[in-house]
Amino acid sequence: MATRVYPWRRRTGPARRRTRPLLHLAALLALLAALGSFAGAGEAQAAPNCAVLASGAAPQADAAVRAACGLIGTPYSWGGGHSANPGPSYGLCDPANGAPNDCHVRGLDCSGMVRYAYFLAVGTDVINGNTRTQWASSRAVARFLHSQGTAPLLPGDLVFYGGAPSTIHHVAMYLGQGYIAEAPYSGGRVQVAALASHGDYYGSLRLYGPGGGQPPTPNPAPGKYWVDTFAAAPVYGSPTGTARTGTLNQGTNYVYCKAHGRTITNGTAHNSWWLRTDPDTGPAGQWVSAYYLSRWGNDEARDNNGTTIPDC
């Protein structure tokens, strides 16, 4: 059998023998550089500075984004931000949830962060609770599911992650252009990230409609009127009842109608109007005193737009 002569083994003199390896090395380096450039082209771009990155959202939503951006760098704390008043707080030490030291960390978890951002933006506690409670909030003026994609989203929308409503585990605030502000995990800090950095985007909700005004405008369903309450308010089975049946949380709530009942007083403040509502705890169709309305005075019962709530 004839011996095969490979070109790179051909001996053609000392000078050729020395330069051929150098040429191969140069080609190899060029190839590696090209591969490196190709790989770099596919890498995710660095996250932008935290800001309102798109137009069209309500002024309250834009303000919430700016408030969230002001929280960049705040430590994450499991359970942080869920005190009676919104804001950073010490969390829970919970090794089972990856938070072995968070009772010693003053900060915010994901739902505590979006709660505090909206509180700073609008002055009322409009989105209290954990992620699953927030997703179910009756204060939403619009909802979008993952099947609709992210095109409908506006800055200030709250984006949720999880396979189903019962397994939602994370919430963040949308900034625009595919980015979010989030409190990510124990040991982390509030940061900007890509919405797609979590692979299980479930859906989003909007708290204020584009164009601003009091949420929602118009009312979400016939017979509902939106009001702000300045504190967690007890509810009762009737306007004259004294047996407490539940609680209407502080924030923006809806009521149906009004009726006269017993007078609630505190110093010079008083109100004898009672509003039928569905409380946060307790059965539906209960009654709360109009005394707790934050926008109106003695014996007034009007919604956030100044409309007199009709009699029941």
Side-chain angles (χ1 to χ4, degrees), residues 40-112:
E43 293 175 357
Q45 295 181 347
N49 291 331
C50 193
V52 177
L53 299 179
S55 60
Q60 298 95 326
D62 284 346
V65 168
R66 290 190 289 270
C69 291
L71 299 173
I72 294 293
T74 301
Y76 178 97
S77 183
W78 172 262
H82 293 284
S83 299
N85 296 314
S89 63
Y90 288 98
L92 304 172
C93 288
D94 188 354
N97 281 291
N101 190 54
D102 287 29
C103 56
H104 305 293
V105 177
R106 187 173 183 273
L108 300 164
D109 68 8
C110 61
S111 50

Side-chain angles (χ1 to χ4, degrees), residues 297-309:
N298 294 336
D299 279 332
E300 291 184 288
R302 291 185 278 171
D303 71 4
N304 285 342
N305 292 321
T307 302
T308 298
I309 297 168

Side-chain angles (χ1 to χ4, degrees), residues 106-131:
R106 187 173 183 273
L108 300 164
D109 68 8
C110 61
S111 50
M113 189 278 285
V114 298
R115 176 196 184 195
Y116 188 41
Y118 262 102
F119 174 78
L120 293 173
V122 302
T124 57
D125 192 8
V126 295
I127 193 68
N128 196 358
N130 61 27
T131 52

Side-chain angles (χ1 to χ4, degrees), residues 6-305:
Y6 291 92
W8 56 86
R9 290 182 181 171
R10 190 178 299 140
R11 293 174 180 253
T12 56
R16 189 116 180 222
R17 227 176 15 248
R18 287 193 301 270
T19 58
R20 177 75 62 174
L22 293 176
L23 291 173
H24 285 310
L25 178 60
L28 178 61
L29 291 174
L31 176 62
L32 291 175
L35 290 174
S37 298
F38 178 79
E43 293 175 357
Q45 295 181 347
N49 291 331
C50 193
V52 177
L53 299 179
S55 60
Q60 298 95 326
D62 284 346
V65 168
R66 290 190 289 270
C69 291
L71 299 173
I72 294 293
T74 301
Y76 178 97
S77 183
W78 172 262
H82 293 284
S83 299
N85 296 314
S89 63
Y90 288 98
L92 304 172
C93 288
D94 188 354
N97 281 291
N101 190 54
D102 287 29
C103 56
H104 305 293
V105 177
R106 187 173 183 273
L108 300 164
D109 68 8
C110 61
S111 50
M113 189 278 285
V114 298
R115 176 196 184 195
Y116 188 41
Y118 262 102
F119 174 78
L120 293 173
V122 302
T124 57
D125 192 8
V126 295
I127 193 68
N128 196 358
N130 61 27
T131 52
R132 294 169 200 172
T133 301
Q134 290 177 340
W135 168 254
S137 175
S138 62
R139 299 183 178 95
V141 302
R143 292 180 186 276
F144 308 97
L145 295 177
H146 62 91
S147 59
Q148 297 171 267
T150 59
L153 300 187
L154 292 174
D157 288 353
L158 302 185
V159 295
F160 293 82
Y161 298 88
S166 61
T167 57
I168 284 173
H169 61 87
H170 187 54
V171 62
M173 184 174 295
Y174 191 63
L175 305 178
Q177 298 182 16
Y179 288 95
I180 57 174
E182 64 169 353
Y185 45 74
S186 184
R189 294 176 179 271
V190 176
Q191 63 180 16
V192 174
L195 184 150
S197 61
H198 305 279
D200 57 349
Y201 167 64
Y202 180 76
S204 67
L205 64 81
R206 184 169 297 156
L207 295 176
Y208 293 84
Q214 297 303 324
T217 302
N219 287 317
K224 286 186 178 181
Y225 299 84
W226 289 85
V227 297
D228 287 347
T229 53
F230 63 79
V235 298
Y236 301 87
S238 75
T240 57
T242 58
R244 181 170 178 171
T245 57
T247 302
L248 186 69
N249 289 343
Q250 175 187 354
T252 303
N253 298 281
Y254 63 81
V255 299
Y256 296 104
C257 55
K258 73 179 189 301
H260 269 295
R262 59 188 176 91
T263 301
I264 301 298
T265 61
N266 183 5
T268 60
H270 63 274
N271 209 306
S272 58
W273 286 112
W274 287 76
L275 311 173
R276 189 160 189 170
T277 188
D278 299 324
D280 294 281
T281 60
Q286 302 301 288
W287 295 84
V288 63
S289 172
Y291 165 82
Y292 289 94
L293 298 183
S294 61
R295 295 174 178 267
W296 309 111
N298 294 336
D299 279 332
E300 291 184 288
R302 291 185 278 171
D303 71 4
N304 285 342
N305 292 321

